[in-house]
Amino acid sequence: MADLGNLDDQDYPAFATGQAAKMLGVQEAFLRSLDTADLVRPQRSDGGHRRYSRRQLNLVVRLREQLDEGHNLAAAARIIGLQDQLADAETTIHDLRAQLDQR
Protein backbone atom coordinates (compact mmCIF):
# COMPACT_ATOMS: atom_id res chain seq x y z
CA MET A 1 0.00 0.00 0.00
CA ALA A 2 1.27 3.47 -0.87
CA ASP A 3 2.37 5.84 1.88
CA LEU A 4 0.15 8.91 1.54
CA GLY A 5 1.63 10.66 4.57
CA ASN A 6 3.38 13.27 2.41
CA LEU A 7 0.25 14.51 0.64
CA ASP A 8 -0.19 17.42 3.01
CA ASP A 9 3.53 18.19 3.39
CA GLN A 10 4.21 21.58 1.74
CA ASP A 11 7.92 20.76 1.67
CA TYR A 12 7.75 17.31 0.09
CA PRO A 13 9.63 17.41 -3.26
CA ALA A 14 6.89 15.91 -5.40
CA PHE A 15 7.27 17.68 -8.75
CA ALA A 16 9.89 17.25 -11.44
CA THR A 17 11.04 20.30 -13.38
CA GLY A 18 8.85 19.53 -16.40
CA GLN A 19 5.77 18.97 -14.25
CA ALA A 20 6.39 22.15 -12.28
CA ALA A 21 6.95 24.23 -15.41
CA LYS A 22 3.77 22.93 -17.02
CA MET A 23 1.69 23.50 -13.88
CA LEU A 24 2.95 27.07 -13.51
CA GLY A 25 3.00 28.02 -17.17
CA VAL A 26 6.70 28.84 -17.19
CA GLN A 27 9.68 27.53 -19.10
CA GLU A 28 11.91 24.89 -17.52
CA ALA A 29 14.80 27.29 -18.13
CA PHE A 30 13.11 29.83 -15.85
CA LEU A 31 13.02 27.29 -13.03
CA ARG A 32 16.66 26.40 -13.62
CA SER A 33 17.56 30.11 -13.55
CA LEU A 34 15.93 30.49 -10.13
CA ASP A 35 18.02 27.56 -8.91
CA THR A 36 21.19 29.09 -10.38
CA ALA A 37 20.34 32.42 -8.70
CA ASP A 38 19.94 30.49 -5.42
CA LEU A 39 16.36 31.74 -4.99
CA VAL A 40 14.54 28.42 -5.30
CA ARG A 41 16.71 25.42 -4.41
CA PRO A 42 14.88 22.22 -5.31
CA GLN A 43 15.95 18.93 -3.84
CA ARG A 44 17.63 16.44 -6.14
CA SER A 45 16.48 12.91 -6.89
CA ASP A 46 18.95 10.04 -6.70
CA GLY A 47 19.50 10.59 -10.42
CA GLY A 48 20.27 14.30 -9.90
CA HIS A 49 16.96 15.65 -11.23
CA ARG A 50 15.38 18.68 -9.59
CA ARG A 51 12.31 17.98 -7.46
CA TYR A 52 10.11 20.90 -6.33
CA SER A 53 7.80 21.14 -3.32
CA ARG A 54 4.48 22.95 -3.24
CA ARG A 55 6.06 25.65 -1.07
CA GLN A 56 8.73 26.19 -3.73
CA LEU A 57 6.13 26.32 -6.49
CA ASN A 58 4.29 29.00 -4.55
CA LEU A 59 7.52 30.99 -4.31
CA VAL A 60 8.06 30.63 -8.06
CA VAL A 61 4.56 32.05 -8.66
CA ARG A 62 5.29 34.99 -6.37
CA LEU A 63 8.61 35.66 -8.12
CA ARG A 64 6.97 35.47 -11.54
CA GLU A 65 4.31 37.97 -10.44
CA GLN A 66 6.98 40.43 -9.30
CA LEU A 67 8.90 40.00 -12.56
CA ASP A 68 5.71 40.55 -14.53
CA GLU A 69 5.26 43.83 -12.64
CA GLY A 70 8.61 44.98 -14.01
CA HIS A 71 10.94 44.24 -11.11
CA ASN A 72 14.29 42.61 -11.73
CA LEU A 73 15.06 39.29 -10.06
CA ALA A 74 17.01 40.81 -7.15
CA ALA A 75 14.23 43.31 -6.42
CA ALA A 76 11.58 40.60 -6.72
CA ALA A 77 13.41 38.43 -4.20
CA ARG A 78 13.82 41.37 -1.82
CA ILE A 79 10.14 42.33 -2.07
CA ILE A 80 9.06 38.78 -1.31
CA GLY A 81 11.48 38.60 1.62
CA LEU A 82 10.05 41.80 3.04
CA GLN A 83 6.48 40.60 2.50
CA ASP A 84 7.30 37.43 4.42
CA GLN A 85 8.95 39.39 7.24
CA LEU A 86 5.88 41.62 7.49
CA ALA A 87 3.56 38.61 7.59
CA ASP A 88 5.68 37.05 10.37
CA ALA A 89 5.63 40.32 12.33
CA GLU A 90 1.85 40.60 11.96
CA THR A 91 1.45 37.04 13.23
CA THR A 92 3.66 37.82 16.23
CA ILE A 93 1.69 40.98 17.00
CA HIS A 94 -1.58 39.05 16.77
CA ASP A 95 -0.27 36.35 19.11
CA LEU A 96 1.03 38.90 21.62
CA ARG A 97 -2.30 40.76 21.61
CA ALA A 98 -4.12 37.49 22.23
CA GLN A 99 -1.84 36.80 25.20
CA LEU A 100 -2.48 40.28 26.60
CA ASP A 101 -6.23 39.82 26.20
CA GLN A 102 -6.08 36.66 28.30
CA ARG A 103 -4.65 38.57 31.27
Side-chain angles (χ1 to χ4, degrees):
M1 182 169 203
D3 178 14
L4 300 178
N6 293 320
L7 282 178
D8 292 329
D9 185 351
Q10 290 284 319
D11 296 310
Y12 182 72
F15 305 98
T17 303
Q19 292 171 309
K22 187 173 183 178
M23 287 172 49
L24 301 177
V26 299
Q27 298 293 316
E28 291 182 34
F30 176 67
L31 294 175
R32 289 191 297 271
S33 73
L34 296 178
D35 187 4
T36 301
D38 205 24
L39 295 175
V40 178
R41 296 301 305 228
Q43 291 187 23
R44 298 289 181 141
S45 69
D46 292 339
H49 300 284
R50 291 172 176 90
R51 303 290 294 184
Y52 294 87
S53 69
R54 288 189 293 162
R55 187 179 316 276
Q56 289 170 323
L57 296 184
N58 183 50
L59 177 56
V60 171
V61 168
R62 294 173 68 197
L63 287 164
R64 181 77 255 169
E65 288 170 349
Q66 292 298 320
L67 293 171
D68 289 347
E69 289 182 14
H71 301 288
N72 66 36
L73 196 53
R78 183 71 178 138
I79 289 167
I80 289 170
L82 291 170
Q83 288 172 336
D84 290 346
Q85 286 179 357
L86 179 58
D88 290 344
E90 288 172 340
T91 298
T92 300
I93 290 167
H94 178 268
D95 292 346
L96 291 171
R97 284 184 176 151
Q99 288 177 13
L100 286 172
D101 289 345
Q102 291 177 358
R103 293 182 182 190

